[in-house]
Amino acid sequence: TKSAVEGVQQMNERHDILENTKRTTDNVWKSARNFNEEHGVVENTTRTMGNVWQSARNFDNEHQVSRNVGKGFVAAGSLIGSMITGTRNGQSGASTGRSPSDDSGMY
């Protein structure tokens, strides 16, 4: 019985798989490089992504999206924490007149 390695080696010898794969890979790489040289894909993509990133930063600065999302996460975390511990605004659930499961007073 032949080992798997011997079988693969014989297949490669018969069909020249490794050489064909190398040749195809080289051709694909050359074609991609030529396409990029003709059309400036990498440069255009880099420039476009820089513009998109700058626009996103400008929008965030103008509308304070990151800041507001962060505040929302903090508020949600505080609310969840108070619901778990049974406290709200530093008071126990009993002193607020509400049970920890009462969500009618959510803020």
Side-chain angles (χ1 to χ4, degrees):
T1 62
K2 293 188 288 185
S3 71
V5 173
E6 290 172 336
V8 169
Q9 287 173 338
Q10 285 180 357
M11 281 284 274
N12 183 51
E13 289 171 5
R14 284 188 210 135
H15 301 287
D16 210 12
I17 295 169
L18 292 177
E19 187 58 37
N20 288 335
T21 301
K22 182 181 181 286
R23 189 174 26 258
T24 301
T25 303
D26 288 344
N27 289 339
V28 169
W29 177 248
K30 287 175 187 174
S31 295
R33 191 173 51 222
N34 290 339
F35 186 85
N36 181 54
E37 288 173 3
E38 287 179 33
H39 301 285
V41 174
V42 172
E43 183 179 318
N44 290 336
T45 302
T46 302
R47 185 175 46 251
T48 300
M49 290 308 299
N51 291 340
V52 167
W53 181 249
Q54 187 59 49
S55 295
R57 288 180 59 194
N58 291 343
F59 184 87
D60 184 49
N61 288 337
E62 183 178 340
H63 299 285
Q64 299 180 347
V65 175
S66 297
R67 181 174 173 238
N68 293 333
V69 168
K71 284 181 173 181
F73 278 125
V74 169
S78 295
L79 177 62
I80 292 168
S82 69
M83 293 173 79
I84 291 171
T85 61
T87 59
R88 291 201 178 147
N89 295 331
Q91 301 174 339
S92 71
S95 66
T96 62
R98 293 188 289 240
S99 71
S101 63
D102 181 352
D103 65 357
S104 63
M106 288 179 65
Y107 25 91

